[in-house]
Amino acid sequence: MPRKKALLIGINYFGTDHQLNGCINDSENIRQFLVEERGFSPSRHDMVMMTDIPENQGTPFYPTGANIMAAINWLVSRNQPGDILWLSYSGHGGQVRNYDGDRPSGFDDTICPVDFYQNGQITSGILHRAIVSPMNPECRLTILFDCCHSGSACELPYVYRPDEEGNVNMVDTIKKGIGLIRAAEGLLEGGFSMSKIDDAKMLLGGATDFFNGLHHRRSEDVDEDGLAPERFEEHWETEGKDVWMFSGCADDQTSADTSIAGAPTGAMSWAFVRTLRENPEQSYVNILQNTREELARKYSQIPQLSCGGRYDLDQALIRLGLFIKEARG
């Protein structure tokens, strides 16, 4: 029997200026979904849940950067062919300067451990090397990141872009680019500060990414199903790892921390679970489309789907039995 392992991370940043309200609830909801509807065991041998509740301080389950990296190593190590892995993260996402020159915006996506102010953020390149590179290629990993700037947070080599930018239509795409520039201009009105300048640079970086995307739309190698290659210096596409990632928004967007039915939650996590509970037998691309449709009723964020190869997007999410990796020729 294949083993199922899960790592669930939810960080509310209690008592800080960056406090969120729904991230721990997201992890609880995902845990319940995996156990009750996807056949995962809640045993700590098979499922690790990391949150910043006070009881976890000083334990391996407190989501510091070091503990998160150790837990990721547990998730992707010592697995056998056919094992099914799950990783979810709900918390702050950010961006830092990219020095490789392989990102049009000039920034790398990051996640923010509970101690990020003291010990820094975890960048997309570090996440890829920790999560994807060591994986047994005969295992399947599904990732759900509900955080800002998460479209490329694990630097997977292919992204689903039905209109080459992952947006609903061209009008929305144009509005997004113009909105980023206006937001940067508005941020700097009324006086300058280093924090304002950094935030404005991030917004303008997103606008640059947008306009570069428009410039290369015709030449980008988008296949008939909407999969397009990402451009990373490391050529991650040669690894051939069976990894699929749902992210709460594009690299230049934010993910909403909201309240639904009176309970704090992340909009992406809520929509993702709701979509699968309404119809459990969905493919990866159907889940993305239905989650986007659910969120579009109230939120501006556009969830993204990326993967480790040019795989068949009509495969079902986390099959309960053995799976076969299906690549298109």
Side-chain angles (χ1 to χ4, degrees), residues 1 3 9 23 38 43 77 115 123 140 143 165 179 184 191 232 245 251 255 266 285 290 312 316 324:
M1 285 290 292
R3 183 184 181 191
I9 305 169
C23 297
R38 294 289 158 168
S43 165
S77 299
D115 61 342
T123 66
R140 171 166 296 178
I143 302 171
E165 287 303 315
F232 297 108
M245 177 172 175
D251 291 336
S255 285
V285 71
N290 291 329
D312 182 359
I324 301 173

mmCIF file of all heavy atoms in Angstrom, residues 1 3 9 23 38 43 77 115 123 140 143 165 179 184 191 232 245 251 255 266 285 290 312 316 324:
data_model
loop_
_atom_site.group_PDB
_atom_site.id
_atom_site.type_symbol
_atom_site.label_atom_id
_atom_site.label_comp_id
_atom_site.label_asym_id
_atom_site.label_seq_id
_atom_site.Cartn_x
_atom_site.Cartn_y
_atom_site.Cartn_z
ATOM 1 N N MET A 1 0.835 -1.208 0.000
ATOM 2 C CA MET A 1 0.000 0.000 0.000
ATOM 3 C C MET A 1 0.871 1.259 0.000
ATOM 4 O O MET A 1 1.828 1.350 0.767
ATOM 5 C CB MET A 1 -0.895 0.028 1.240
ATOM 6 C CG MET A 1 -2.069 -0.927 1.184
ATOM 7 S SD MET A 1 -3.295 -0.379 -0.017
ATOM 8 C CE MET A 1 -3.886 1.110 0.794
ATOM 9 N N ARG A 3 2.051 4.906 0.923
ATOM 10 C CA ARG A 3 1.911 5.716 2.128
ATOM 11 C C ARG A 3 1.448 7.116 1.758
ATOM 12 O O ARG A 3 1.792 7.644 0.697
ATOM 13 C CB ARG A 3 3.260 5.785 2.849
ATOM 14 C CG ARG A 3 3.223 6.539 4.174
ATOM 15 C CD ARG A 3 4.612 6.637 4.780
ATOM 16 N NE ARG A 3 4.601 7.341 6.052
ATOM 17 C CZ ARG A 3 5.687 7.742 6.696
ATOM 18 N NH1 ARG A 3 6.881 7.481 6.184
ATOM 19 N NH2 ARG A 3 5.599 8.378 7.850
ATOM 20 N N ILE A 9 1.016 23.741 7.383
ATOM 21 C CA ILE A 9 1.620 24.882 8.079
ATOM 22 C C ILE A 9 0.630 26.043 8.079
ATOM 23 O O ILE A 9 0.149 26.451 7.020
ATOM 24 C CB ILE A 9 2.935 25.325 7.394
ATOM 25 C CG1 ILE A 9 3.905 24.142 7.280
ATOM 26 C CG2 ILE A 9 3.571 26.482 8.159
ATOM 27 C CD1 ILE A 9 5.102 24.422 6.380
ATOM 28 N N CYS A 23 -5.209 31.664 9.265
ATOM 29 C CA CYS A 23 -4.246 30.690 8.739
ATOM 30 C C CYS A 23 -4.246 29.363 9.504
ATOM 31 O O CYS A 23 -4.116 28.296 8.908
ATOM 32 C CB CYS A 23 -2.851 31.301 8.734
ATOM 33 S SG CYS A 23 -2.720 32.735 7.653
ATOM 34 N N ARG A 38 -9.911 12.070 2.034
ATOM 35 C CA ARG A 38 -8.829 11.634 1.159
ATOM 36 C C ARG A 38 -8.002 10.505 1.750
ATOM 37 O O ARG A 38 -6.947 10.153 1.220
ATOM 38 C CB ARG A 38 -7.919 12.813 0.813
ATOM 39 C CG ARG A 38 -8.627 13.859 -0.029
ATOM 40 C CD ARG A 38 -8.872 13.363 -1.448
ATOM 41 N NE ARG A 38 -9.960 14.071 -2.107
ATOM 42 C CZ ARG A 38 -10.236 14.015 -3.397
ATOM 43 N NH1 ARG A 38 -9.490 13.255 -4.174
ATOM 44 N NH2 ARG A 38 -11.245 14.664 -3.904
ATOM 45 N N SER A 43 -2.241 10.486 12.334
ATOM 46 C CA SER A 43 -1.104 10.138 13.185
ATOM 47 C C SER A 43 0.091 11.038 12.879
ATOM 48 O O SER A 43 0.352 11.375 11.717
ATOM 49 C CB SER A 43 -0.711 8.679 12.955
ATOM 50 O OG SER A 43 0.572 8.408 13.482
ATOM 51 N N SER A 77 11.560 12.938 2.246
ATOM 52 C CA SER A 77 12.611 11.931 2.391
ATOM 53 C C SER A 77 12.034 10.542 2.645
ATOM 54 O O SER A 77 10.926 10.394 3.162
ATOM 55 C CB SER A 77 13.548 12.294 3.553
ATOM 56 O OG SER A 77 14.185 13.525 3.329
ATOM 57 N N ASP A 115 9.354 33.466 12.555
ATOM 58 C CA ASP A 115 10.512 34.250 12.992
ATOM 59 C C ASP A 115 11.176 34.983 11.826
ATOM 60 O O ASP A 115 12.375 35.268 11.868
ATOM 61 C CB ASP A 115 11.534 33.349 13.686
ATOM 62 C CG ASP A 115 12.072 32.250 12.781
ATOM 63 O OD1 ASP A 115 11.437 31.955 11.740
ATOM 64 O OD2 ASP A 115 13.130 31.675 13.106
ATOM 65 N N THR A 123 13.084 31.818 0.409
ATOM 66 C CA THR A 123 12.853 32.177 -0.986
ATOM 67 C C THR A 123 12.400 30.979 -1.821
ATOM 68 O O THR A 123 12.563 29.815 -1.433
ATOM 69 C CB THR A 123 14.131 32.752 -1.614
ATOM 70 O OG1 THR A 123 15.130 31.712 -1.670
ATOM 71 C CG2 THR A 123 14.665 33.921 -0.801
ATOM 72 N N ARG A 140 4.020 11.320 -5.833
ATOM 73 C CA ARG A 140 3.293 12.517 -6.248
ATOM 74 C C ARG A 140 3.123 13.454 -5.062
ATOM 75 O O ARG A 140 2.666 13.053 -3.983
ATOM 76 C CB ARG A 140 1.920 12.174 -6.820
ATOM 77 C CG ARG A 140 1.056 13.430 -7.055
ATOM 78 C CD ARG A 140 -0.151 13.150 -7.911
ATOM 79 N NE ARG A 140 0.280 12.739 -9.237
ATOM 80 C CZ ARG A 140 -0.576 12.381 -10.204
ATOM 81 N NH1 ARG A 140 -1.866 12.377 -9.961
ATOM 82 N NH2 ARG A 140 -0.112 12.039 -11.393
ATOM 83 N N ILE A 143 0.745 20.520 -3.684
ATOM 84 C CA ILE A 143 1.036 21.662 -2.821
ATOM 85 C C ILE A 143 -0.109 22.660 -2.913
ATOM 86 O O ILE A 143 -0.622 22.931 -4.003
ATOM 87 C CB ILE A 143 2.353 22.353 -3.248
ATOM 88 C CG1 ILE A 143 3.520 21.367 -3.217
ATOM 89 C CG2 ILE A 143 2.646 23.558 -2.365
ATOM 90 C CD1 ILE A 143 4.807 21.923 -3.821
ATOM 91 N N GLU A 165 -1.337 34.250 -19.545
ATOM 92 C CA GLU A 165 -0.983 34.960 -18.320
ATOM 93 C C GLU A 165 -1.811 34.490 -17.135
ATOM 94 O O GLU A 165 -1.723 35.043 -16.058
ATOM 95 C CB GLU A 165 -1.177 36.475 -18.497
ATOM 96 C CG GLU A 165 -0.111 37.111 -19.368
ATOM 97 C CD GLU A 165 1.297 36.874 -18.825
ATOM 98 O OE1 GLU A 165 1.519 37.036 -17.612
ATOM 99 O OE2 GLU A 165 2.170 36.519 -19.612
ATOM 100 N N GLY A 179 -3.334 48.969 -12.811
ATOM 101 C CA GLY A 179 -3.593 49.073 -11.376
ATOM 102 C C GLY A 179 -2.330 48.993 -10.552
ATOM 103 O O GLY A 179 -2.177 49.691 -9.547
ATOM 104 N N ALA A 184 1.487 51.879 -7.025
ATOM 105 C CA ALA A 184 2.835 52.321 -6.676
ATOM 106 C C ALA A 184 2.904 53.835 -6.580
ATOM 107 O O ALA A 184 3.519 54.392 -5.665
ATOM 108 C CB ALA A 184 3.835 51.810 -7.713
ATOM 109 N N GLY A 191 4.721 61.812 0.912
ATOM 110 C CA GLY A 191 6.005 61.650 1.595
ATOM 111 C C GLY A 191 6.653 60.315 1.334
ATOM 112 O O GLY A 191 5.973 59.324 1.069
ATOM 113 N N PHE A 232 13.469 29.805 -15.491
ATOM 114 C CA PHE A 232 14.368 29.810 -14.341
ATOM 115 C C PHE A 232 15.772 29.446 -14.808
ATOM 116 O O PHE A 232 15.949 28.585 -15.681
ATOM 117 C CB PHE A 232 13.896 28.818 -13.271
ATOM 118 C CG PHE A 232 12.556 29.139 -12.693
ATOM 119 C CD1 PHE A 232 11.445 28.361 -13.000
ATOM 120 C CD2 PHE A 232 12.385 30.220 -11.842
ATOM 121 C CE1 PHE A 232 10.205 28.653 -12.466
ATOM 122 C CE2 PHE A 232 11.156 30.528 -11.308
ATOM 123 C CZ PHE A 232 10.062 29.739 -11.620
ATOM 124 N N MET A 245 1.122 22.219 -7.953
ATOM 125 C CA MET A 245 0.958 23.267 -6.965
ATOM 126 C C MET A 245 -0.205 24.184 -7.314
ATOM 127 O O MET A 245 -0.272 24.742 -8.408
ATOM 128 C CB MET A 245 2.235 24.099 -6.848
ATOM 129 C CG MET A 245 2.106 25.269 -5.876
ATOM 130 S SD MET A 245 3.685 26.072 -5.583
ATOM 131 C CE MET A 245 3.157 27.445 -4.557
ATOM 132 N N ASP A 251 2.001 35.958 -8.942
ATOM 133 C CA ASP A 251 3.163 36.523 -8.245
ATOM 134 C C ASP A 251 2.941 37.963 -7.815
ATOM 135 O O ASP A 251 3.490 38.403 -6.807
ATOM 136 C CB ASP A 251 4.403 36.464 -9.147
ATOM 137 C CG ASP A 251 4.890 35.045 -9.375
ATOM 138 O OD1 ASP A 251 4.600 34.184 -8.525
ATOM 139 O OD2 ASP A 251 5.542 34.789 -10.398
ATOM 140 N N SER A 255 -3.361 37.486 -1.477
ATOM 141 C CA SER A 255 -4.410 36.541 -1.125
ATOM 142 C C SER A 255 -5.178 37.072 0.077
ATOM 143 O O SER A 255 -4.585 37.584 1.027
ATOM 144 C CB SER A 255 -3.816 35.165 -0.791
ATOM 145 O OG SER A 255 -3.415 34.485 -1.953
ATOM 146 N N GLY A 266 -8.605 31.706 5.076
ATOM 147 C CA GLY A 266 -8.052 32.204 3.830
ATOM 148 C C GLY A 266 -9.032 31.928 2.713
ATOM 149 O O GLY A 266 -9.604 30.838 2.627
ATOM 150 N N VAL A 285 -7.042 20.512 -13.399
ATOM 151 C CA VAL A 285 -7.453 21.734 -14.098
ATOM 152 C C VAL A 285 -8.891 22.110 -13.765
ATOM 153 O O VAL A 285 -9.223 23.299 -13.653
ATOM 154 C CB VAL A 285 -7.227 21.590 -15.621
ATOM 155 C CG1 VAL A 285 -8.219 20.616 -16.240
ATOM 156 C CG2 VAL A 285 -7.300 22.951 -16.299
ATOM 157 N N ASN A 290 -12.776 25.753 -11.183
ATOM 158 C CA ASN A 290 -13.909 25.925 -10.268
ATOM 159 C C ASN A 290 -13.538 26.778 -9.059
ATOM 160 O O ASN A 290 -14.372 27.535 -8.547
ATOM 161 C CB ASN A 290 -14.434 24.561 -9.828
ATOM 162 C CG ASN A 290 -15.109 23.818 -10.965
ATOM 163 O OD1 ASN A 290 -15.691 24.434 -11.853
ATOM 164 N ND2 ASN A 290 -15.026 22.497 -10.958
ATOM 165 N N ASP A 312 -0.483 15.607 -18.034
ATOM 166 C CA ASP A 312 -1.891 15.663 -18.394
ATOM 167 C C ASP A 312 -2.674 16.350 -17.275
ATOM 168 O O ASP A 312 -2.777 15.818 -16.167
ATOM 169 C CB ASP A 312 -2.406 14.245 -18.622
ATOM 170 C CG ASP A 312 -3.861 14.195 -19.040
ATOM 171 O OD1 ASP A 312 -4.496 15.269 -19.142
ATOM 172 O OD2 ASP A 312 -4.373 13.087 -19.263
ATOM 173 N N ALA A 316 -6.745 13.103 -11.951
ATOM 174 C CA ALA A 316 -7.486 13.374 -10.723
ATOM 175 C C ALA A 316 -6.540 13.765 -9.593
ATOM 176 O O ALA A 316 -5.391 13.320 -9.548
ATOM 177 C CB ALA A 316 -8.295 12.147 -10.317
ATOM 178 N N ILE A 324 -0.457 6.623 -11.889
ATOM 179 C CA ILE A 324 0.529 6.565 -12.958
ATOM 180 C C ILE A 324 0.751 7.983 -13.449
ATOM 181 O O ILE A 324 -0.204 8.683 -13.798
ATOM 182 C CB ILE A 324 0.054 5.667 -14.129
ATOM 183 C CG1 ILE A 324 -0.214 4.253 -13.635
ATOM 184 C CG2 ILE A 324 1.072 5.675 -15.267
ATOM 185 C CD1 ILE A 324 -0.839 3.351 -14.682
#
